[in-house]
Amino acid sequence: MTRSFAFNNAINLHVERRISPEDARRQTNTAIEILRRLREQPGVVLADEVGMGKTFIALAVGVSVALNDRKRRQVVVMVPPSLKEKWPRDFDVFRERCLPAALREMVAAGSADSAVAFLKLLDDPEERRKSLVFVTHGAMSRGLTDRWVKLALIQKALKGRHDTEGLKRALDRVMGHLIRSASERLDGRGLWHKLLDADASRWLRILQREGIDLKSEDGTAPEDDPVPQLIADVLSDMRAADTNAVYDVLQEIPLRQSKNMPERVKDARQVIQEQLVPLWARCLGSIKEKLTLPLLILDEAHHLKNPETRLASLFHDHEAEADAAELGHGSLAGVFERMLFLTATPFQLGHEELCAVLDRFAGTDKSGFAAGAAGQTAYQVQMKGLRLSLDRAKVSAVALDHAWGKLRSTDLLCNGEPASSAEQWWAGVERGEALTNTAKEVLERFRAAQRDLRDAEEKLKPWVIRHLKPRQLPAPFESIVRRERRAGEGNGDQSGIGLGAEAILPFLLAARASFHTPKSRPVFAEGLASSYEAFLDTRRRNLGRTGRLTDEDDDGSSVTPPNVSSWYLDELERLLPGGDWRTSASHPKVAWTLERVLSLWRHVEKVVVFCHYISTGRTLRQVISNAIRAEITAMAAKKLKCSETAAEDEMERIGKRFFDVDSPLRASLDELVQEIIRPFPALATPERTATLTEIVRRNLRTPAFLARFFPLEQEQLGRGAVLDALENKDQSGLSLRSLIERFCDFLEDQCGERDRESYLGALSRIQVGSHAGTDVRDSYSPEELEDADTESLMPNVRLVNGRTRSDTRQRLMLAFNTPFYPEVLVASSVLAEGVDLHLNSRHVIHHDLCWNPSTLEQRTGRVDRIGSKAERCGLSIQVMLPFIGQTQDEKMYRVVMDRERWFQVLMGEDYRLDLESTEKLAERVPFPEAAARALVFDLSVPTPVQGESVV
C-alpha cells in the first residue's frame, strides 16, 4: 500500500450543526474510497450533486496525503478566482473543527494567485512549509509579471557586459517606472543600483534595511526572497545571448534625462515583458525536471473540457482552458503524481468532453500508474474502452429519444383507457400492459439504452464518484420533501401567469413576429417574457448598439434574426408601456415576481431571484425597492394610525434613539443582545460583543425592521418592545432571537477564525441606511450605481451581476447568509457556482429560465446545501419557476422541464432552440421520472450504516 494515499483516521468530518453524522459518514467513506483508488490509478473525479460537501471531502483527502507524505511535499488545490477566498476560509473551519489539536499544529495552508507567489510557497523551508497551497485558476498559465523577476532579468542582461556602470546609474533614475513597481518613489536614490550589484538572495535584507515592506506592496510574506529560487536558478543557467534583446533595448535608455526618456522606457518595458514569456517556459520546464508533487485537487473541473462545441461554450473559462493545456500535455505534465477533479455537473458535458477531462490524468507523473509503462498502457486501453462504451450508450439513448418523440397521447393507454399522465402509463408498461406499436418501439429502445448505459456505468465507475442528494430532508424531518417546485403561477396547476388586457397585444405581436422566422431562435420573445426592458435591449442590440444583454452571452443567439419583419417589432415597441417603475412593474412576470418577493419580505423570509438579462436585474431591483419602501411606510402608518408622511418622520425619530446613549430603547436592546452573545466565548470578548451589538442595533433601527418587528403603536418603546421584536417569527417559524442565536452559534462552533472575521467584517461594512442618501450611495460600487435611480435604491435589496466588483460580491454573499441586510438578492449566473446562500434562505425564484437544466440546478443549489435553513426548520426549499402561459415562455418551460430528465441520459445533449424545434419539443409526451431514474448512472459509494467501520 502507498502510505501517502491512506486516510488519516484522526480526521472527523462531523461538525456539530454544520455537517450531520450521516453526511459525515458519507463524506468520510468517499474520502477513503478516493484515496484507495488513487493508490492504483492516476486520478478520480468527485462529482457529487451541488451542496453535498465536496470541499470537505477534498480537504480530507488533501490533508491525509500531505500528512502521510514523507518528503512533506505540498498538495496543490487549483480554484476558480471567484472561490479563492472561500477555499481558505473552509480550510480554516476544517482545520479547527475536523482535526485534533496535535494534527492542527502540523497542517497549514497558503494561497497564490500568481506564478511567482506559487513558486515562493514551494521555496519555503520545511519548518515553514504549507501542507496545502491554493492556486487560482490561470496563475500557472498567465506567466510572469512580477516586478522583482523583471529586475532579476535586467540584472541577468547586464551581467558580464562591459561598462555597465553608466547604464546602471541611468536605470536607477527610471527603474520603478520600467518594472511598474509601486516603489517608483525610490527612483534616483541609489537603491536599484545597489540591488543590481547584489545577488538576488541578498535583496530581501537590502530592502528591509531600506525600510521597504514587501508585504504591503504585493502580499509576499516578509521572510520570502523577492525572487523564487527556481527562477533564480533558471536565470543563472541562461546564456548571455538569451538576454541580448533586453540588453539592447536597455542601452537605448538615455544616460541623462531627456525628452526621449519616457518613450525609451516604454519600449524597454515592452521588450522585457515579451522576454518574460520564454523565461516562464524555461521555469515550467525546470519545475517538471526538479519537482514532483503528490496531489493536485482541481475545483470546477468541467472547465477543462474541449471548448469547441456550442454546449461546452456555456461553461467556457479561458484561464481553466490554459491550465488544462499545461496539466495534460504541457510543461506541468508529470509534476503531479495524482489528480482529484471536483465538479457538480459532469453530465452537462458531452461524453467526448467527459473523456477529455479524464484524459488530463495522462499528465500525471508515471508513478500515478499501477505498474509504470504497463500501467500507462492499461490506462490508455481503459480510456479507449470507456469511449467506445459511451459511444454505444449515446447511440442507444439518441435512438430512444427519437422513438419517444413519436409517442402521442393516443399511445398512452392504461387498461385500454387513456392514461391520466405519462407516469401512470409508464407504471402500466412496467407491469406488462398491452402497448401500441409506437409504444412497443419505445420499450425496445428503452431496454437497449438501459443495457448500454449499464455497461458504460461499469466502465465509468472507477473514475467518477457521484452521489445524488436525498429527496427528503434529513432526520428528524424525513417525511418532508426536500424541495417543492412551484411553476407557472405557483398554485399547483402549472397553468402559467395570465396576460392582462394591456399585455395581450404586445405578446400577440411577438408570437406573430416569431411565426415569420420558424428556423430562428426568437430571442426578442424570450426577452419580452423577462421584462419590457429586456425586449428593448434585444432590439437595441440588433440595431448595432454595443453592450451586453446578459452575463452569459456566449452562443451567438442574443440578437433578433435579420429577417423578422421590422413592422411587428416596431409596433411591439410602440405598444410597450413606458415611464416610471410602476409601468415596469406592470409586466406580467415582473409583477408576479414582485408579489412573491414582497409577500416573503412581509413574512421576514430572505429570497434569491435569478434572472438572465442584465436589464431585467436592474428593473427587478428598482421595482422591488420601491414596493418595499411603499410597504414599509404603509405598515408603519397603519400601526401608528397616522399619515404616511408622519409615519416616515416618526420612524426616523425612533431610529435615532437606537444611537442615543441615554435612550432606554438602546439600553434595552444592547442588554438583550449581550445576553444572547454571552454563552459564546469566541464572541464574548469586549471587541466582538461591541461589534455584534452594533450590527444588530444598526439593522433593527431601520424602517424595514421597525415596521415589521416593533409594536410601533405603543406610546413608549423600551424593553418590552424589544422583547416583542425579538420574538417576532418568520414564515419558517424561527424568531428573530433564535436567528441571532443561531448566527452566534454558527460563528462560535461552525466557523474558523478567518470565517468569523469575514462575516463580521462584511456585516460591519454593509450599509443599512433607511434612505438612498450619500451614506447609502457610498456603500455601492460604481458598477452597481450605473443606470440606477439612486433615490429608489433600498439597502436591503441588492443586485449582483457580472459588473459587480468581486469584493462587493463577496461581502453581499456573506451578509445574505446572516439574519441581517441584505434581505433580497437579485442575481445573475455569477452566483450560480461555488456560492453559499443557504443559512438564512430557503426560497429561490428563477425569474428567467435557462435552456440548460444544469444551470437551473446550480442556481437552486445555492440554497440547497448541507446545513441549510430548510434542514434546520424542517420546511421544504421553495423553488419558484414562473412562466407566462400560452407564450414562448411556457414553451421554454415545458421543454426545459422535460429535457431535465433527459439530460443525464443524453450526456451533453445539444438541441436546436429555433421556434419550430421548440414547438415540437414542447408538444412531446413528458419523459416519466421513473423511466429517467432507471437509466441514470449510479456512481455512488455505498455508505456504511451507523456504527460500522468505514476504513
Side-chain angles (χ1 to χ4, degrees), residues 138-441:
M140 299 302 290
S141 56
R142 279 193 297 269
L144 301 172
T145 58
D146 183 82
R147 63 191 187 279
W148 302 113
V149 174
K150 293 177 184 177
L151 184 65
L153 178 60
I154 292 170
Q155 182 188 56
K156 176 64 179 180
L158 298 178
K159 190 172 183 180
R161 313 278 184 175
H162 297 293
D163 302 323
T164 58
E165 283 302 307
L167 180 53
K168 289 178 182 177
R169 286 193 294 271
L171 291 174
D172 191 71
R173 293 195 298 269
V174 297
M175 187 67 78
H177 292 81
L178 183 60
I179 64 176
R180 294 282 195 189
S181 170
S183 298
E184 292 171 4
R185 58 188 172 79
L186 299 176
D187 287 351
R189 288 175 43 183
L191 174 65
W192 303 118
H193 194 166
K194 189 181 299 184
L195 292 174
L196 289 173
D197 284 340
D199 188 89
S201 62
R202 293 175 49 212
W203 286 2
L204 178 61
R205 283 174 299 217
I206 294 172
L207 292 167
Q208 288 174 335
R209 283 200 301 269
E210 294 289 335
I212 308 300
D213 183 1
L214 295 185
K215 190 168 186 178
S216 67
E217 292 194 6
D218 66 358
T220 303
E223 62 267 26
D224 284 337
D225 285 326
V227 180
Q229 188 59 48
L230 185 140
I231 294 178
D233 291 344
V234 169
L235 284 169
S236 177
D237 291 340
M238 286 171 59
R239 299 170 304 158
D242 296 329
T243 61
N244 281 345
V246 175
Y247 178 69
D248 290 343
V249 77
L250 291 177
Q251 284 191 305
E252 297 298 319
I253 295 177
L255 298 181
R256 297 176 180 81
Q257 191 67 37
S258 73
K259 65 178 183 179
N260 295 327
M261 180 73 78
E263 189 65 28
R264 295 290 184 264
V265 169
K266 181 180 177 182
D267 293 342
R269 188 188 301 136
Q270 181 177 343
V271 170
I272 291 168
Q273 189 61 49
E274 291 171 354
Q275 293 304 305
L276 289 176
V277 175
L279 173 60
W280 180 232
R282 290 171 181 261
C283 290
L284 288 175
S286 182
I287 291 176
K288 183 176 179 179
E289 292 173 5
K290 299 181 179 180
L291 180 70
T292 59
L293 296 172
L295 178 66
L296 168 70
I297 299 172
L298 191 138
D299 195 14
E300 305 296 356
H302 51 267
H303 292 298
L304 298 188
K305 76 288 171 239
N306 182 340
E308 293 178 359
T309 67
R310 193 189 67 77
L311 179 70
S313 70
L314 294 174
F315 314 99
H316 194 59
D317 182 310
H318 293 288
E319 292 188 331
E321 179 192 349
D323 285 340
E326 293 296 346
L327 291 172
H329 307 287
S331 300
L332 288 179
V335 170
F336 300 100
E337 293 177 352
R338 305 291 195 282
M339 296 180 184
L340 170 61
F341 291 168
L342 310 182
T343 176
T345 52
F347 305 122
Q348 66 192 5
L349 308 176
H351 69 285
E352 280 295 328
E353 296 171 306
L354 178 60
C355 288
V357 171
L358 296 176
D359 281 345
R360 306 300 176 191
F361 295 151
T364 57
D365 177 72
K366 62 183 179 181
S367 64
F369 300 91
Q376 288 175 306
T377 301
Y379 164 76
Q380 297 297 340
V381 170
Q382 283 182 290
M383 288 298 103
K384 183 177 180 180
L386 175 59
R387 271 191 167 83
L388 291 173
S389 184
L390 287 172
D391 283 342
R392 286 193 296 270
K394 180 65 177 282
V395 170
S396 294
V398 169
L400 170 61
D401 185 36
H402 289 167
W404 193 273
K406 299 175 186 177
L407 277 178
R408 297 294 178 264
S409 57
T410 52
D411 293 305
L412 308 188
L413 301 176
C414 188
N415 296 321
E417 299 293 328
S420 61
S421 66
E423 299 285 353
Q424 184 194 33
W425 170 73
W426 186 254
V429 171
E430 292 181 317
R431 291 194 302 269
E433 290 195 7
L435 302 174
T436 66
N437 289 334
T438 302
K440 287 178 181 177
E441 181 186 358

Side-chain angles (χ1 to χ4, degrees), residues 848-861:
D848 293 333
L849 289 173
C850 177
W851 287 107
N852 185 349
S854 291
T855 299
L856 292 177
E857 174 59 26
Q858 283 277 10
R859 293 174 183 174
T860 301

Side-chain angles (χ1 to χ4, degrees), residues 34-55:
I34 289 169
L35 289 161
R36 185 192 68 77
R37 295 186 191 185
L38 290 178
R39 295 173 201 156
E40 302 296 329
Q41 62 191 56
V44 176
V45 175
L46 175 60
D48 286 353
E49 275 193 314
V50 177
M52 297 188 71
K54 291 186 292 295
T55 300

